[in-house]
Amino acid sequence: MKNKFFNSFLSILCFASCSGLLYCQSVDFITVKSINNKDTTDLKSHYHLPFPDHYDNMLQKVDVKEFFYTSDGLKVKGYMAEPKAPGKYPCIIYNRGGIGAFSAFNIPLAQRILGEMASWGYVVITTQIRGNDGSEGKEDLGDKDLHDILNLIPLLEKVPKADTSKIGMYGRSTGGMKTYLSLTKTHRIKAAVIIGASADLNYTLQSRADLKKIYADVIPGYKEKKKEALKKRSMIYWADQLNKKTPILLMHGSQDKRIPSEESFMASKALFHSHHPFRFIFFENDDHGLSANRDEVNRLTRMWYEKYLP
């Protein structure tokens, strides 16, 4: 009985050390599978992702993996990419956008997106979020499923090439909102990049009526306490709670039809008034994915991480 209690206590201490949080959690890989055979299915036709000139050479230099891991006792799916060359590398936690299957990763996207970032010299990891793509549990848009992101921090401790003293975070759209939330829960993130993210979900709803049903289906207690549920996920109300030691690079396109670009101006105002270190870059005539400025977005992202994850 004493040994069981002692082991549980050690698990609590271990997680607190890994993530800056204090709650009992056992995190580990369940299965890991290499997915290095080139797969370009739908990358251009559906996702409209061009290939860099060096794409084949890039893929040869990285290992891309599909895995399942434990999060709150649930089996959750994720993807990871890392350089093949030996050594220790800074880490990036990539927070996917969308809800449910929309904007979820697959093998072609993991190779194209995570593989490219890994080729810059990083261990890059993402979660599909509970309830998606064979994962157990139910997605709840930044409540308990936020643990699936935070649990990637202690999971990275089990990756031999990961230098977990240098962890960055990257979030697009919904993933950007979850990045804001994550920065209120952990001090381990040294730099964050947030693209096309909601800062006020009630404002988002004013331009996206279609989200009302989605929010009602996904967010617990939404119908009974809509105002509180949206406020809990809207950073303009709690920007002062973000870890002040995590500089944020914000980017947004003026023609974003999914998340109004005004929301990044709102986020900038909240960050400014809370004395949070940040930079905001606004792209004229660009869309939600900043597709007209991909090379520039990559350059700015790399510059941000190279500055804060040296």
Side-chain angles (χ1 to χ4, degrees):
M1 186 68 178
K2 290 183 178 180
N3 287 339
K4 185 176 180 181
F5 174 80
F6 183 68
N7 289 336
S8 297
F9 182 66
L10 284 181
S11 295
I12 295 175
L13 290 180
C14 178
F15 189 81
S17 173
C18 289
S19 66
L21 297 173
L22 188 60
Y23 65 86
C24 185
Q25 181 60 53
S26 175
V27 180
D28 206 348
F29 288 102
I30 300 173
T31 61
V32 180
K33 180 176 71 174
S34 293
I35 49 171
N36 289 325
N37 291 331
K38 182 179 176 182
D39 186 346
T40 60
T41 306
D42 291 334
L43 280 182
K44 286 187 178 180
S45 62
H46 183 69
Y47 300 107
H48 310 294
L49 279 172
F51 301 111
D53 294 336
H54 61 290
Y55 190 63
D56 287 349
N57 184 50
M58 178 196 81
L59 285 180
Q60 292 174 6
K61 294 181 179 180
V62 299
D63 279 322
V64 187
K65 300 173 182 178
E66 174 187 279
F67 63 87
F68 281 93
Y69 68 111
T70 52
S71 180
D72 293 353
L74 300 171
K75 179 182 177 182
V76 180
K77 189 174 183 178
Y79 290 94
M80 178 173 60
E82 61 184 5
K84 286 184 178 178
K88 284 279 192 177
Y89 297 93
C91 307
I92 298 172
I93 294 174
Y94 189 114
N95 295 332
R96 51 156 287 210
I99 298 172
F102 184 76
S103 290
F105 270 87
N106 54 28
I107 292 175
L109 287 176
Q111 292 177 348
R112 174 65 182 84
I113 297 174
L114 305 185
E116 182 173 27
M117 296 181 84
S119 74
W120 302 344
Y122 297 92
V123 174
V124 189
I125 194 167
T126 189
T127 176
Q128 294 284 65
I129 298 295
R130 61 187 61 187
N132 296 304
D133 197 16
S135 302
E136 297 174 343
K138 188 179 186 300
E139 184 174 10
D140 56 19
L141 199 63
D143 192 3
K144 292 182 180 178
D145 66 11
L146 191 67
H147 298 176
D148 301 342
I149 293 171
L150 296 170
N151 284 333
L152 294 177
I153 298 174
L155 191 68
L156 281 167
E157 300 279 2
K158 301 178 182 296
V159 179
K161 290 184 179 180
D163 180 354
T164 54
S165 69
K166 301 175 182 179
I167 302 177
M169 191 168 279
Y170 181 100
R172 283 181 173 265
S173 194
T174 302
M177 180 268 287
K178 292 181 180 179
T179 299
Y180 286 131
L181 284 167
S182 296
L183 298 185
T184 69
K185 306 295 184 183
T186 179
H187 57 74
R188 295 288 302 277
I189 308 303
K190 303 299 184 183
V193 176
I194 297 175
I195 298 175
S198 291
D200 181 353
L201 269 67
N202 189 58
Y203 189 89
T204 308
L205 280 176
Q206 295 176 29
S207 63
R208 291 281 308 278
D210 60 301
L211 288 175
K212 292 180 181 179
K213 184 180 185 306
I214 296 173
Y215 286 172
D217 290 342
V218 176
I219 299 176
Y222 177 80
K223 295 178 181 178
E224 296 77 18
K225 296 183 178 181
K226 173 184 173 182
K227 184 177 179 180
E228 291 85 346
L230 296 179
K231 186 175 181 180
K232 181 179 179 180
R233 295 162 173 81
S234 301
M235 65 80 67
I236 61 169
Y237 297 104
W238 34 262
D240 60 323
Q241 297 178 36
L242 302 174
N243 180 42
K244 292 289 192 294
K245 293 184 178 180
T246 306
I248 298 172
L249 173 62
L250 288 178
M251 293 185 270
H252 215 129
S254 67
Q255 300 303 310
D256 191 334
K257 303 301 183 184
R258 296 191 179 278
I259 305 295
S261 57
E262 292 91 338
E263 296 204 48
S264 281
F265 284 92
M266 296 160 67
S268 296
K269 181 179 179 181
L271 292 170
F272 177 78
H273 285 297
S274 64
H275 306 288
H276 196 103
F278 78 100
R279 181 176 299 174
F280 175 38
I281 300 175
F282 185 60
F283 291 92
E284 303 89 347
N285 302 313
D286 210 347
D287 58 17
H288 185 57
L290 300 180
S291 58
N293 290 278
R294 282 197 178 94
D295 289 343
E296 178 64 2
V297 169
N298 281 346
R299 185 189 72 82
L300 292 167
T301 299
R302 291 185 68 173
M303 176 191 72
W304 199 253
Y305 289 136
E306 286 169 1
K307 180 176 181 179
Y308 295 107
L309 303 175

